[in-house]
Amino acid sequence: MRSKIGALLPLLLVVFFLASCASPRGLDEPPLQIPALKPGYGRVYFTRPGEFSGSAIQPEIQMNNEVVGRSVPGGFSYVDRPPGKYAVTTATEVENAVTFQLAAGETKYIKTTVTPGILVG
């Protein structure tokens, strides 16, 4: 039993160290200021939960074949676009896609996640 605990100790220390590096915004930091949506545009937010598993994997997010950001653990980003039909894709071992219609003044939210695969994660 002792050898199992001794083998896990270095792993636990690494996990503790990495977890202590990721800190939320401090109370003394100003709040994020997101600009108002321009008339005639819609906004798309991309979010990803702050899970430790797969945190090193940060695939590009493409919207209509244009890179608009990365899927970052515990992060979010957004883009403003004119009304129209859009396809959002991300890829690691497999490509995932979602298509939608965006209207003027509308806000869409797309949640991204990373699931462990055979080669990635």
Side-chain angles (χ1 to χ4, degrees):
M1 184 65 138
R2 243 183 174 170
S3 64
K4 288 182 182 179
I5 293 173
L8 286 177
L9 186 59
L11 177 63
L12 291 174
L13 289 174
V14 168
V15 169
F16 174 76
F17 174 72
L18 290 175
S20 66
C21 293
S23 62
R25 294 180 61 82
L27 295 176
D28 58 341
E29 293 183 77
L32 292 175
Q33 297 294 321
I34 297 175
L37 185 59
K38 293 181 199 174
Y41 280 74
R43 181 168 285 169
V44 181
Y45 283 94
F46 305 98
T47 66
R48 180 171 164 191
E51 300 163 342
F52 182 73
S53 119
S55 61
I57 302 165
Q58 300 179 8
E60 291 178 339
I61 299 171
Q62 294 188 6
M63 192 164 170
N64 287 3
N65 297 317
E66 174 192 352
V67 176
V68 294
R70 289 196 164 276
S71 177
V72 178
F76 78 96
S77 61
Y78 69 92
V79 293
D80 295 340
R81 293 290 186 265
K85 186 173 182 177
Y86 291 94
V88 173
T89 58
T90 61
T92 52
E93 288 180 345
V94 295
E95 182 174 282
N96 293 298
V98 62
T99 58
F100 57 90
Q101 192 74 29
L102 183 66
E106 184 177 29
T107 301
K108 298 275 190 186
Y109 297 88
I110 298 175
K111 177 181 173 184
T112 63
T113 59
V114 172
T115 54
I118 295 170
L119 301 174
V120 178

